[in-house]
Short mmCIF file of all heavy atoms in Angstrom, two decimals:
data_model
loop_
_atom_site.label_atom_id
_atom_site.label_comp_id
_atom_site.label_asym_id
_atom_site.label_seq_id
_atom_site.Cartn_x
_atom_site.Cartn_y
_atom_site.Cartn_z
N MET A 1 -20.41 -65.35 172.95
CA MET A 1 -19.34 -64.44 172.51
C MET A 1 -19.59 -63.99 171.07
O MET A 1 -20.12 -64.74 170.28
CB MET A 1 -17.99 -65.15 172.63
CG MET A 1 -16.83 -64.19 172.77
SD MET A 1 -15.28 -65.08 172.89
CE MET A 1 -14.97 -65.02 174.63
N ASP A 2 -19.18 -62.80 170.79
CA ASP A 2 -19.38 -62.25 169.46
C ASP A 2 -18.53 -62.97 168.42
O ASP A 2 -17.42 -63.39 168.70
CB ASP A 2 -19.00 -60.78 169.47
CG ASP A 2 -20.22 -59.92 169.24
OD1 ASP A 2 -21.34 -60.46 169.32
OD2 ASP A 2 -20.05 -58.72 168.98
N LYS A 3 -19.08 -63.06 167.24
CA LYS A 3 -18.31 -63.64 166.14
C LYS A 3 -17.97 -62.54 165.16
O LYS A 3 -18.65 -61.52 165.09
CB LYS A 3 -19.13 -64.71 165.42
CG LYS A 3 -19.24 -65.98 166.23
CD LYS A 3 -19.88 -67.05 165.41
CE LYS A 3 -19.92 -68.34 166.20
NZ LYS A 3 -20.82 -69.31 165.63
N ARG A 4 -16.94 -62.81 164.40
CA ARG A 4 -16.54 -61.83 163.40
C ARG A 4 -16.02 -62.58 162.18
O ARG A 4 -15.25 -63.54 162.31
CB ARG A 4 -15.46 -60.93 163.98
CG ARG A 4 -15.10 -59.77 163.07
CD ARG A 4 -14.12 -58.85 163.80
NE ARG A 4 -13.56 -57.86 162.88
CZ ARG A 4 -14.12 -56.68 162.64
NH1 ARG A 4 -15.24 -56.35 163.20
NH2 ARG A 4 -13.54 -55.83 161.81
N LEU A 5 -16.44 -62.12 161.03
CA LEU A 5 -15.97 -62.73 159.80
C LEU A 5 -14.61 -62.15 159.41
O LEU A 5 -14.40 -60.95 159.49
CB LEU A 5 -16.98 -62.47 158.68
CG LEU A 5 -16.69 -63.16 157.36
CD1 LEU A 5 -16.88 -64.66 157.48
CD2 LEU A 5 -17.58 -62.62 156.27
N LYS A 6 -13.72 -63.05 159.03
CA LYS A 6 -12.39 -62.60 158.61
C LYS A 6 -12.05 -63.13 157.23
O LYS A 6 -12.43 -64.25 156.89
CB LYS A 6 -11.33 -63.15 159.58
CG LYS A 6 -11.07 -62.26 160.78
CD LYS A 6 -10.04 -62.88 161.66
CE LYS A 6 -8.69 -62.21 161.52
NZ LYS A 6 -7.76 -62.69 162.57
N VAL A 7 -11.32 -62.35 156.49
CA VAL A 7 -10.78 -62.83 155.22
C VAL A 7 -9.34 -63.25 155.47
O VAL A 7 -8.53 -62.45 155.95
CB VAL A 7 -10.81 -61.73 154.13
CG1 VAL A 7 -10.23 -62.27 152.82
CG2 VAL A 7 -12.22 -61.23 153.90
N ILE A 8 -9.04 -64.51 155.19
CA ILE A 8 -7.66 -64.98 155.32
C ILE A 8 -7.03 -64.84 153.93
O ILE A 8 -7.15 -65.73 153.08
CB ILE A 8 -7.61 -66.45 155.80
CG1 ILE A 8 -8.53 -66.67 157.01
CG2 ILE A 8 -6.17 -66.87 156.11
CD1 ILE A 8 -8.15 -65.94 158.28
N ILE A 9 -6.42 -63.71 153.73
CA ILE A 9 -5.98 -63.33 152.38
C ILE A 9 -5.04 -64.37 151.78
O ILE A 9 -5.13 -64.69 150.59
CB ILE A 9 -5.32 -61.94 152.43
CG1 ILE A 9 -6.41 -60.95 152.83
CG2 ILE A 9 -4.69 -61.58 151.07
CD1 ILE A 9 -6.17 -59.52 152.55
N GLU A 10 -4.17 -64.95 152.59
CA GLU A 10 -3.20 -65.90 152.05
C GLU A 10 -3.85 -67.22 151.62
O GLU A 10 -3.26 -67.99 150.88
CB GLU A 10 -2.04 -66.13 153.02
CG GLU A 10 -2.41 -66.56 154.42
CD GLU A 10 -2.70 -65.39 155.37
OE1 GLU A 10 -3.12 -64.31 154.92
OE2 GLU A 10 -2.53 -65.59 156.59
N ASN A 11 -5.08 -67.49 152.08
CA ASN A 11 -5.78 -68.71 151.63
C ASN A 11 -6.46 -68.52 150.28
O ASN A 11 -6.83 -69.48 149.63
CB ASN A 11 -6.84 -69.11 152.65
CG ASN A 11 -6.24 -69.74 153.88
OD1 ASN A 11 -5.03 -69.91 153.98
ND2 ASN A 11 -7.07 -70.08 154.85
N CYS A 12 -6.67 -67.28 149.89
CA CYS A 12 -7.37 -67.00 148.64
C CYS A 12 -6.39 -66.99 147.47
O CYS A 12 -5.40 -66.26 147.51
CB CYS A 12 -8.06 -65.64 148.74
SG CYS A 12 -8.90 -65.16 147.21
N PRO A 13 -6.63 -67.82 146.45
CA PRO A 13 -5.71 -67.86 145.31
C PRO A 13 -5.76 -66.59 144.45
O PRO A 13 -4.86 -66.36 143.64
CB PRO A 13 -6.16 -69.08 144.52
CG PRO A 13 -7.52 -69.41 145.00
CD PRO A 13 -7.71 -68.82 146.36
N LYS A 14 -6.79 -65.78 144.64
CA LYS A 14 -6.91 -64.49 143.95
C LYS A 14 -6.79 -64.63 142.43
O LYS A 14 -6.13 -63.83 141.78
CB LYS A 14 -5.85 -63.48 144.44
CG LYS A 14 -5.85 -63.29 145.95
CD LYS A 14 -4.74 -62.34 146.37
CE LYS A 14 -4.44 -62.40 147.84
NZ LYS A 14 -3.69 -63.62 148.23
N ASN A 15 -7.40 -65.68 141.91
CA ASN A 15 -7.31 -65.88 140.46
C ASN A 15 -8.66 -66.21 139.83
O ASN A 15 -8.73 -66.73 138.73
CB ASN A 15 -6.29 -66.98 140.13
CG ASN A 15 -6.69 -68.32 140.72
OD1 ASN A 15 -7.79 -68.46 141.27
ND2 ASN A 15 -5.83 -69.31 140.61
N HIS A 16 -9.73 -65.93 140.54
CA HIS A 16 -11.05 -66.21 139.99
C HIS A 16 -12.09 -65.30 140.63
O HIS A 16 -11.83 -64.67 141.65
CB HIS A 16 -11.42 -67.69 140.23
CG HIS A 16 -11.45 -68.05 141.71
ND1 HIS A 16 -10.32 -68.35 142.44
CD2 HIS A 16 -12.49 -68.13 142.57
CE1 HIS A 16 -10.66 -68.63 143.68
NE2 HIS A 16 -11.97 -68.49 143.80
N LYS A 17 -13.27 -65.28 140.01
CA LYS A 17 -14.40 -64.56 140.60
C LYS A 17 -14.83 -65.31 141.85
O LYS A 17 -15.09 -66.50 141.80
CB LYS A 17 -15.57 -64.52 139.61
CG LYS A 17 -15.35 -63.54 138.48
CD LYS A 17 -15.80 -62.14 138.89
CE LYS A 17 -15.23 -61.07 137.99
NZ LYS A 17 -14.36 -60.11 138.65
N CYS A 18 -14.90 -64.62 142.96
CA CYS A 18 -15.25 -65.26 144.23
C CYS A 18 -16.72 -65.71 144.21
O CYS A 18 -17.62 -64.88 144.12
CB CYS A 18 -15.02 -64.29 145.38
SG CYS A 18 -15.58 -64.95 146.96
N PRO A 19 -16.95 -67.03 144.28
CA PRO A 19 -18.35 -67.50 144.24
C PRO A 19 -19.10 -67.17 145.52
O PRO A 19 -20.33 -67.13 145.53
CB PRO A 19 -18.21 -69.01 144.05
CG PRO A 19 -16.84 -69.36 144.52
CD PRO A 19 -15.98 -68.13 144.37
N ALA A 20 -18.39 -66.92 146.61
CA ALA A 20 -19.06 -66.63 147.88
C ALA A 20 -19.77 -65.28 147.84
O ALA A 20 -20.72 -65.06 148.60
CB ALA A 20 -18.05 -66.66 149.02
N VAL A 21 -19.34 -64.39 146.96
CA VAL A 21 -19.99 -63.08 146.85
C VAL A 21 -21.49 -63.25 146.56
O VAL A 21 -22.32 -62.55 147.11
CB VAL A 21 -19.31 -62.24 145.75
CG1 VAL A 21 -20.10 -60.99 145.43
CG2 VAL A 21 -17.89 -61.85 146.18
N LYS A 22 -21.80 -64.25 145.72
CA LYS A 22 -23.21 -64.49 145.35
C LYS A 22 -23.97 -65.25 146.42
O LYS A 22 -25.19 -65.24 146.44
CB LYS A 22 -23.26 -65.27 144.03
CG LYS A 22 -22.84 -64.45 142.84
CD LYS A 22 -23.48 -65.03 141.57
CE LYS A 22 -22.95 -64.36 140.33
NZ LYS A 22 -21.85 -65.10 139.70
N VAL A 23 -23.25 -65.95 147.28
CA VAL A 23 -23.88 -66.75 148.33
C VAL A 23 -24.39 -65.88 149.48
O VAL A 23 -25.38 -66.20 150.12
CB VAL A 23 -22.85 -67.80 148.85
CG1 VAL A 23 -23.29 -68.42 150.15
CG2 VAL A 23 -22.63 -68.87 147.79
N CYS A 24 -23.74 -64.77 149.70
CA CYS A 24 -24.10 -63.89 150.82
C CYS A 24 -25.52 -63.35 150.64
O CYS A 24 -25.82 -62.71 149.63
CB CYS A 24 -23.11 -62.74 150.93
SG CYS A 24 -23.56 -61.58 152.24
N PRO A 25 -26.40 -63.59 151.62
CA PRO A 25 -27.80 -63.16 151.47
C PRO A 25 -28.01 -61.66 151.62
O PRO A 25 -29.07 -61.15 151.27
CB PRO A 25 -28.52 -63.92 152.61
CG PRO A 25 -27.46 -64.19 153.62
CD PRO A 25 -26.16 -64.34 152.87
N VAL A 26 -27.02 -60.96 152.15
CA VAL A 26 -27.21 -59.52 152.39
C VAL A 26 -26.25 -58.64 151.58
O VAL A 26 -26.17 -57.44 151.80
CB VAL A 26 -27.08 -59.20 153.90
CG1 VAL A 26 -28.20 -59.85 154.69
CG2 VAL A 26 -25.72 -59.61 154.45
N GLY A 27 -25.52 -59.26 150.66
CA GLY A 27 -24.63 -58.47 149.82
C GLY A 27 -23.48 -57.81 150.56
O GLY A 27 -23.05 -56.71 150.23
N ALA A 28 -22.98 -58.51 151.57
CA ALA A 28 -21.90 -57.92 152.39
C ALA A 28 -20.51 -58.16 151.80
O ALA A 28 -19.55 -57.55 152.26
CB ALA A 28 -21.96 -58.49 153.81
N LEU A 29 -20.42 -59.03 150.80
CA LEU A 29 -19.12 -59.32 150.21
C LEU A 29 -18.99 -58.63 148.87
O LEU A 29 -19.93 -58.60 148.08
CB LEU A 29 -18.94 -60.82 150.01
CG LEU A 29 -18.80 -61.68 151.27
CD1 LEU A 29 -18.79 -63.15 150.89
CD2 LEU A 29 -17.56 -61.32 152.04
N SER A 30 -17.84 -58.08 148.62
CA SER A 30 -17.58 -57.53 147.30
C SER A 30 -16.16 -57.90 146.89
O SER A 30 -15.31 -58.24 147.73
CB SER A 30 -17.81 -56.03 147.28
OG SER A 30 -17.08 -55.41 148.30
N GLN A 31 -15.92 -57.83 145.61
CA GLN A 31 -14.62 -58.23 145.10
C GLN A 31 -14.21 -57.30 143.97
O GLN A 31 -15.01 -56.97 143.10
CB GLN A 31 -14.71 -59.67 144.56
CG GLN A 31 -13.37 -60.21 144.09
CD GLN A 31 -13.48 -61.54 143.40
OE1 GLN A 31 -14.52 -61.86 142.81
NE2 GLN A 31 -12.42 -62.32 143.44
N LYS A 32 -12.96 -56.89 144.04
CA LYS A 32 -12.41 -56.06 142.98
C LYS A 32 -11.57 -56.96 142.09
O LYS A 32 -10.63 -57.61 142.57
CB LYS A 32 -11.54 -54.96 143.61
CG LYS A 32 -11.55 -53.67 142.83
CD LYS A 32 -10.90 -52.56 143.62
CE LYS A 32 -9.42 -52.54 143.35
NZ LYS A 32 -8.66 -51.65 144.23
N GLU A 33 -11.93 -57.02 140.82
CA GLU A 33 -11.26 -57.95 139.89
C GLU A 33 -11.14 -59.32 140.53
O GLU A 33 -12.13 -59.83 141.04
CB GLU A 33 -9.94 -57.35 139.44
CG GLU A 33 -10.20 -56.13 138.55
CD GLU A 33 -9.00 -55.26 138.28
OE1 GLU A 33 -7.89 -55.63 138.65
OE2 GLU A 33 -9.21 -54.21 137.68
N ASN A 34 -9.96 -59.92 140.54
CA ASN A 34 -9.84 -61.26 141.13
C ASN A 34 -9.19 -61.24 142.50
O ASN A 34 -8.67 -62.26 142.96
CB ASN A 34 -9.05 -62.18 140.18
CG ASN A 34 -9.88 -62.62 138.99
OD1 ASN A 34 -11.11 -62.50 139.00
ND2 ASN A 34 -9.24 -63.11 137.95
N GLU A 35 -9.24 -60.10 143.14
CA GLU A 35 -8.63 -60.02 144.46
C GLU A 35 -9.47 -60.79 145.50
O GLU A 35 -10.59 -61.19 145.23
CB GLU A 35 -8.52 -58.54 144.89
CG GLU A 35 -7.47 -57.79 144.09
CD GLU A 35 -7.49 -56.29 144.37
OE1 GLU A 35 -8.04 -55.89 145.40
OE2 GLU A 35 -6.96 -55.55 143.54
N ALA A 36 -8.91 -60.94 146.69
CA ALA A 36 -9.68 -61.55 147.79
C ALA A 36 -10.88 -60.65 148.10
O ALA A 36 -10.78 -59.43 147.98
CB ALA A 36 -8.79 -61.69 149.02
N PRO A 37 -12.02 -61.25 148.47
CA PRO A 37 -13.20 -60.44 148.74
C PRO A 37 -13.04 -59.57 149.99
O PRO A 37 -12.24 -59.87 150.86
CB PRO A 37 -14.31 -61.49 148.96
CG PRO A 37 -13.60 -62.72 149.34
CD PRO A 37 -12.26 -62.67 148.66
N THR A 38 -13.80 -58.51 150.03
CA THR A 38 -13.80 -57.66 151.22
C THR A 38 -15.20 -57.69 151.84
O THR A 38 -16.19 -57.96 151.17
CB THR A 38 -13.40 -56.21 150.90
OG1 THR A 38 -14.24 -55.73 149.85
CG2 THR A 38 -11.96 -56.11 150.47
N ILE A 39 -15.25 -57.43 153.13
CA ILE A 39 -16.47 -57.56 153.91
C ILE A 39 -16.99 -56.19 154.32
O ILE A 39 -16.23 -55.37 154.82
CB ILE A 39 -16.20 -58.37 155.19
CG1 ILE A 39 -15.57 -59.72 154.86
CG2 ILE A 39 -17.48 -58.55 156.00
CD1 ILE A 39 -14.69 -60.25 155.98
N ASP A 40 -18.28 -55.98 154.10
CA ASP A 40 -18.93 -54.79 154.63
C ASP A 40 -19.52 -55.17 155.99
O ASP A 40 -20.55 -55.85 156.08
CB ASP A 40 -20.03 -54.32 153.67
CG ASP A 40 -20.71 -53.04 154.16
OD1 ASP A 40 -20.63 -52.75 155.37
OD2 ASP A 40 -21.30 -52.34 153.31
N TYR A 41 -18.83 -54.77 157.05
CA TYR A 41 -19.24 -55.21 158.39
C TYR A 41 -20.57 -54.60 158.83
O TYR A 41 -21.20 -55.12 159.75
CB TYR A 41 -18.14 -54.89 159.41
CG TYR A 41 -16.95 -55.80 159.27
CD1 TYR A 41 -15.76 -55.35 158.70
CD2 TYR A 41 -17.03 -57.12 159.70
CE1 TYR A 41 -14.68 -56.19 158.56
CE2 TYR A 41 -15.95 -57.98 159.56
CZ TYR A 41 -14.78 -57.51 158.99
OH TYR A 41 -13.71 -58.35 158.85
N ASP A 42 -20.98 -53.53 158.19
CA ASP A 42 -22.29 -52.97 158.53
C ASP A 42 -23.42 -53.85 158.00
O ASP A 42 -24.52 -53.85 158.54
CB ASP A 42 -22.44 -51.56 157.95
CG ASP A 42 -21.51 -50.58 158.65
OD1 ASP A 42 -21.21 -50.81 159.84
OD2 ASP A 42 -21.09 -49.59 158.01
N LYS A 43 -23.12 -54.60 156.94
CA LYS A 43 -24.15 -55.46 156.35
C LYS A 43 -24.09 -56.89 156.88
O LYS A 43 -25.11 -57.56 156.99
CB LYS A 43 -23.98 -55.50 154.83
CG LYS A 43 -24.40 -54.23 154.13
CD LYS A 43 -24.34 -54.43 152.63
CE LYS A 43 -24.68 -53.16 151.89
NZ LYS A 43 -24.29 -53.26 150.48
N CYS A 44 -22.89 -57.38 157.17
CA CYS A 44 -22.71 -58.80 157.53
C CYS A 44 -23.52 -59.17 158.77
O CYS A 44 -23.45 -58.50 159.80
CB CYS A 44 -21.23 -59.07 157.77
SG CYS A 44 -20.89 -60.77 158.30
N ILE A 45 -24.31 -60.25 158.64
CA ILE A 45 -25.11 -60.73 159.78
C ILE A 45 -24.48 -61.98 160.40
O ILE A 45 -25.10 -62.65 161.21
CB ILE A 45 -26.57 -61.02 159.34
CG1 ILE A 45 -26.59 -61.99 158.15
CG2 ILE A 45 -27.30 -59.72 159.00
CD1 ILE A 45 -27.98 -62.52 157.80
N LYS A 46 -23.25 -62.29 159.99
CA LYS A 46 -22.47 -63.41 160.55
C LYS A 46 -23.22 -64.73 160.45
O LYS A 46 -23.26 -65.52 161.40
CB LYS A 46 -22.11 -63.12 162.01
CG LYS A 46 -21.31 -61.83 162.15
CD LYS A 46 -21.30 -61.36 163.57
CE LYS A 46 -20.82 -59.92 163.66
NZ LYS A 46 -21.44 -59.19 164.75
N CYS A 47 -23.83 -64.96 159.31
CA CYS A 47 -24.61 -66.19 159.13
C CYS A 47 -23.72 -67.39 158.85
O CYS A 47 -24.12 -68.52 159.03
CB CYS A 47 -25.61 -66.00 157.99
SG CYS A 47 -24.80 -65.81 156.39
N GLY A 48 -22.52 -67.15 158.37
CA GLY A 48 -21.58 -68.25 158.12
C GLY A 48 -21.73 -68.92 156.76
O GLY A 48 -21.03 -69.88 156.47
N LYS A 49 -22.66 -68.42 155.93
CA LYS A 49 -22.85 -69.07 154.63
C LYS A 49 -21.59 -69.01 153.78
O LYS A 49 -21.19 -70.00 153.17
CB LYS A 49 -24.01 -68.40 153.88
CG LYS A 49 -25.35 -68.74 154.46
CD LYS A 49 -26.45 -68.63 153.42
CE LYS A 49 -27.75 -69.18 153.95
NZ LYS A 49 -28.77 -68.18 154.18
N CYS A 50 -20.96 -67.87 153.75
CA CYS A 50 -19.77 -67.73 152.91
C CYS A 50 -18.62 -68.57 153.46
O CYS A 50 -17.87 -69.17 152.70
CB CYS A 50 -19.36 -66.27 152.78
SG CYS A 50 -18.97 -65.48 154.35
N SER A 51 -18.50 -68.62 154.78
CA SER A 51 -17.38 -69.38 155.35
C SER A 51 -17.57 -70.87 155.13
O SER A 51 -16.60 -71.61 154.95
CB SER A 51 -17.19 -69.05 156.83
OG SER A 51 -18.37 -69.24 157.54
N ASN A 52 -18.82 -71.34 155.12
CA ASN A 52 -19.07 -72.75 154.80
C ASN A 52 -18.87 -73.03 153.32
O ASN A 52 -18.59 -74.15 152.93
CB ASN A 52 -20.50 -73.14 155.19
CG ASN A 52 -20.68 -73.24 156.67
OD1 ASN A 52 -19.73 -73.53 157.40
ND2 ASN A 52 -21.88 -72.98 157.14
N PHE A 53 -19.02 -72.01 152.51
CA PHE A 53 -19.01 -72.19 151.07
C PHE A 53 -17.61 -72.16 150.47
O PHE A 53 -17.30 -72.93 149.57
CB PHE A 53 -19.87 -71.09 150.44
CG PHE A 53 -20.14 -71.28 148.98
CD1 PHE A 53 -21.08 -72.20 148.56
CD2 PHE A 53 -19.45 -70.54 148.05
CE1 PHE A 53 -21.32 -72.38 147.21
CE2 PHE A 53 -19.69 -70.72 146.69
CZ PHE A 53 -20.63 -71.63 146.28
N CYS A 54 -16.77 -71.30 150.98
CA CYS A 54 -15.44 -71.13 150.37
C CYS A 54 -14.59 -72.38 150.56
O CYS A 54 -14.25 -72.74 151.69
CB CYS A 54 -14.73 -69.92 150.98
SG CYS A 54 -13.04 -69.74 150.34
N PRO A 55 -14.21 -73.06 149.47
CA PRO A 55 -13.45 -74.31 149.60
C PRO A 55 -12.01 -74.07 150.04
O PRO A 55 -11.33 -74.99 150.49
CB PRO A 55 -13.51 -74.91 148.18
CG PRO A 55 -13.77 -73.76 147.28
CD PRO A 55 -14.52 -72.73 148.07
N LYS A 56 -11.55 -72.85 149.93
CA LYS A 56 -10.17 -72.53 150.32
C LYS A 56 -10.08 -72.04 151.76
O LYS A 56 -9.00 -71.69 152.23
CB LYS A 56 -9.61 -71.44 149.39
CG LYS A 56 -9.54 -71.84 147.93
CD LYS A 56 -8.43 -72.83 147.71
CE LYS A 56 -8.31 -73.16 146.23
NZ LYS A 56 -7.34 -74.22 146.02
N LYS A 57 -11.21 -71.96 152.41
CA LYS A 57 -11.25 -71.47 153.80
C LYS A 57 -10.63 -70.07 153.91
O LYS A 57 -9.92 -69.74 154.85
CB LYS A 57 -10.52 -72.42 154.75
CG LYS A 57 -11.06 -73.84 154.71
CD LYS A 57 -12.06 -74.07 155.83
CE LYS A 57 -12.59 -75.49 155.87
NZ LYS A 57 -13.59 -75.77 154.84
N ALA A 58 -10.94 -69.25 152.92
CA ALA A 58 -10.45 -67.88 152.94
C ALA A 58 -11.39 -66.96 153.73
O ALA A 58 -11.04 -65.84 154.06
CB ALA A 58 -10.28 -67.36 151.52
N LEU A 59 -12.60 -67.46 154.00
CA LEU A 59 -13.57 -66.70 154.80
C LEU A 59 -13.87 -67.52 156.04
O LEU A 59 -14.33 -68.65 155.94
CB LEU A 59 -14.85 -66.46 153.99
CG LEU A 59 -14.69 -65.51 152.81
CD1 LEU A 59 -15.76 -65.79 151.76
CD2 LEU A 59 -14.76 -64.07 153.25
N VAL A 60 -13.58 -66.98 157.19
CA VAL A 60 -13.81 -67.74 158.42
C VAL A 60 -14.51 -66.85 159.46
O VAL A 60 -14.24 -65.66 159.57
CB VAL A 60 -12.49 -68.28 159.03
CG1 VAL A 60 -11.92 -69.39 158.16
CG2 VAL A 60 -11.47 -67.21 159.24
N LEU A 61 -15.42 -67.49 160.20
CA LEU A 61 -16.05 -66.81 161.32
C LEU A 61 -15.23 -67.16 162.56
O LEU A 61 -15.07 -68.31 162.90
CB LEU A 61 -17.49 -67.33 161.50
CG LEU A 61 -18.61 -66.60 160.78
CD1 LEU A 61 -19.94 -67.28 161.09
CD2 LEU A 61 -18.69 -65.14 161.12
N VAL A 62 -14.72 -66.14 163.21
CA VAL A 62 -13.91 -66.37 164.40
C VAL A 62 -14.67 -65.87 165.63
O VAL A 62 -15.48 -64.95 165.54
CB VAL A 62 -12.52 -65.70 164.30
CG1 VAL A 62 -11.67 -66.38 163.26
CG2 VAL A 62 -12.65 -64.23 163.99
N GLU A 63 -14.39 -66.46 166.74
CA GLU A 63 -15.04 -66.08 168.00
C GLU A 63 -14.40 -64.83 168.57
O GLU A 63 -13.18 -64.74 168.65
CB GLU A 63 -14.89 -67.22 169.03
CG GLU A 63 -15.61 -68.49 168.67
CD GLU A 63 -17.12 -68.41 168.92
OE1 GLU A 63 -17.54 -67.53 169.67
OE2 GLU A 63 -17.83 -69.24 168.35
N GLY A 64 -15.24 -63.92 168.95
CA GLY A 64 -14.87 -62.79 169.78
C GLY A 64 -13.55 -62.10 169.50
O GLY A 64 -12.80 -61.79 170.42
N GLU A 65 -13.28 -61.88 168.26
CA GLU A 65 -12.01 -61.21 167.95
C GLU A 65 -12.29 -59.88 167.27
O GLU A 65 -13.27 -59.75 166.55
CB GLU A 65 -11.19 -62.10 167.02
CG GLU A 65 -9.70 -61.98 167.21
CD GLU A 65 -8.97 -62.91 166.27
OE1 GLU A 65 -9.00 -64.12 166.50
OE2 GLU A 65 -8.40 -62.41 165.30
N GLU A 66 -11.47 -58.95 167.48
CA GLU A 66 -11.65 -57.63 166.84
C GLU A 66 -11.40 -57.75 165.35
O GLU A 66 -10.56 -58.50 164.91
CB GLU A 66 -10.70 -56.63 167.49
CG GLU A 66 -10.74 -55.21 166.93
CD GLU A 66 -12.06 -54.73 166.35
OE1 GLU A 66 -13.12 -55.02 166.88
OE2 GLU A 66 -12.02 -54.06 165.30
S1 SF4 B 1 -21.23 -64.33 157.14
FE1 SF4 B 1 -23.18 -64.32 155.96
S2 SF4 B 1 -23.80 -62.15 155.93
FE2 SF4 B 1 -21.62 -62.18 156.50
S3 SF4 B 1 -20.52 -61.94 154.55
FE3 SF4 B 1 -20.71 -64.16 154.94
S4 SF4 B 1 -22.57 -64.78 153.84
FE4 SF4 B 1 -22.63 -62.53 154.06
#
């Protein structure tokens, strides 16, 4: 089944530079100021690095969801 990366906005404290942005190997994450990161779905290869990295679980790979 297909996976899809989701940002769980309410899990993100939105008060720091997102360290997961630098973890992404393809530059699919971006962040405006200290807001929750956004995902470029054209770039994301669903590797799960960012979801394993974020200690707040604000980035999650979900199964087969739009
Ligand atoms: S799942 Fe992988 S490719 Fe997609 S945004 Fe996270 S780190 Fe980047």
Side-chain angles (χ1 to χ4, degrees):
M1 204 181 259
D2 247 13
K3 287 188 177 165
R4 187 174 169 89
L5 185 69
K6 272 179 104 171
V7 180
I8 312 295
I9 295 198
E10 54 273 28
N11 285 358
C12 178
K14 306 178 196 74
N15 62 6
H16 60 279
K17 285 274 163 242
C18 175
V21 169
K22 289 205 187 97
V23 165
C24 177
V26 295
L29 291 174
S30 53
Q31 184 187 28
K32 212 169 88 189
E33 291 167 7
N34 285 343
E35 289 172 19
T38 54
I39 305 152
D40 182 338
Y41 287 106
D42 291 332
K43 287 187 183 165
C44 178
I45 54 170
K46 302 164 195 148
C47 67
K49 287 206 171 111
C50 60
S51 54
N52 288 331
F53 189 77
C54 176
K56 299 287 184 186
K57 304 263 182 284
L59 291 156
V60 290
L61 269 180
V62 291
E63 295 282 342
E65 212 179 287
E66 179 29 40

